[in-house]
Amino acid sequence: MKDPKGNPWTAAGLLVLGAFAAVLSGLRFASMRTAEPVYPGPDLTRQGRLSDYFPALAGTPGDTDVYVFEGREAGGRVLVTGGSHPNEPAGFVSAVLLAENLRVAKGKVIVIPRANASGFTCNDPQEANPQRFVVETGGGPREFRLGSRLTNPVHQWPDPTLYENPAGQMLSASEVRNLNRCYPGRPNGTLTEKIAYGIMELIRRERVDLGIDLHESAPEYPVINAIVFHDASAELAALAQMSLQSEGLEFRLEASPANLRGLSHREWGDAAGIKAVLIETPNPVQGRLKGRTTAALVVEGKDKAYLKASRLGRLFIPYDEKGVPLSERVARHLAGVAAVLQSLAELEPEKAVETEGLPGWRQVMEKGVGVFLRTGPSMSPSSRATVPGKSGRR
Ligand SMILES: [Zn+2]
């Protein structure tokens, strides 16, 4: 009788199959470390890296692309960051959309789509999150990474039991890898603190007037659909909220608590003395009440569990069968950025920033965000590859 357990040939066959599966999944896993391309629009003035401002980041997983758009006319200087939390896709995609469409007539806009580049190379553990999501564009599907809230532990390890952040606040262990708790950073600190320090250096060297940090939060979390503002930016934020309201977009105003330290808007305002706000949209893959997490949920934002939670009054946003699609969340971010820039121009006309080429929020909601993302490199100006002033920097 034949041995039902097989023979050396079946063993060899299974080994080959196993090796094949391991190689395939290994390649897929390793590809998480490769950032998807961003295709800046033809009006990009220059593309640099965060390490241009803080050389210690060069060659580390914390270094990231910086896109600078400068108008012919002098005006204000604005920094927009997405991807401070790489598990909040609308913040990241909004920054990509800005980098791919922006034209600046007056002033300067600096865009960092992946503020914590390391967090894009892993997932949040125990969340069963998809590695990627797909946005349909005019030229076909475009894949983006769904990353982790925190710096990849492979890049920064181990976490301390308690973490005293650079602003002197004691936090729980893993917050040591949360970029939005590590400001104003430390030049000799952890990788995350170095990224924060690099962004502070950029703010100082580019003499940034206003910083806008794009985030998302869970639908059951109260700080949502909100503009969070530093004390010195209260008027700016209130004016922006009023103009958004007049357009039919409701945003909460949230004052940044003075004793909650290490956050972008708090420390950009305190340590660099700039105006600073943080914009939050609702992210259905981030909370605890969500159902199964899929790539479709990232993009379409429809979840039966959230619908039930909404009917039970557990959510801080309006939520119905239409869900909260990525396009709507990106539209809200763009509207928020436009309103804050408009307020800056009204309050301090010499710091006005005039942008062109950006779709209106209604267009993004109606046509979908994919229509406004590029599918390949644009005809680039010759200045694309150069980083003026880089050689002069220490
Ligand atoms: Zn966030």
Side-chain angles (χ1 to χ4, degrees), residues 85 88 149 180 215-216 280 286:
H85 289 148
E88 299 169 9
R149 179 176 175 81
N180 205 27
H215 284 254
E216 295 207 275
E280 296 271 15
Q286 204 173 340

Side-chain angles (χ1 to χ4, degrees), residues 208-283:
V208 168
D209 300 302
L210 162 68
I212 307 173
D213 196 15
L214 306 181
H215 284 254
E216 295 207 275
S217 50
E220 62 268 40
Y221 182 68
V223 181
I224 194 162
N225 275 348
I227 300 176
V228 189
F229 62 90
H230 181 269
D231 343 340
S233 304
E235 210 180 346
L236 180 91
L239 211 56
Q241 185 210 29
M242 279 192 281
S243 78
L244 287 161
Q245 211 162 31
S246 72
E247 292 184 54
L249 286 176
E250 290 296 331
F251 276 78
R252 287 184 179 86
L253 271 189
E254 300 280 348
S256 168
N259 55 0
L260 187 53
R261 305 298 306 272
L263 287 87
S264 58
H265 47 92
R266 166 55 45 202
E267 307 304 335
W268 292 356
D270 280 7
I274 68 167
K275 297 239 181 308
V277 296
L278 182 148
I279 303 178
E280 296 271 15
T281 57
N283 177 12

Side-chain angles (χ1 to χ4, degrees), residues 261-315:
R261 305 298 306 272
L263 287 87
S264 58
H265 47 92
R266 166 55 45 202
E267 307 304 335
W268 292 356
D270 280 7
I274 68 167
K275 297 239 181 308
V277 296
L278 182 148
I279 303 178
E280 296 271 15
T281 57
N283 177 12
V285 296
Q286 204 173 340
R288 296 272 65 83
L289 301 181
K290 66 176 184 244
R292 190 172 159 230
T293 316
T294 62
L297 181 59
V298 176
V299 177
E300 292 162 18
K302 289 181 195 164
D303 183 310
K304 280 183 198 154
Y306 272 130
L307 196 56
K308 192 172 175 189
S310 172
R311 287 175 182 152
L312 293 170
R314 302 289 183 204
L315 304 188

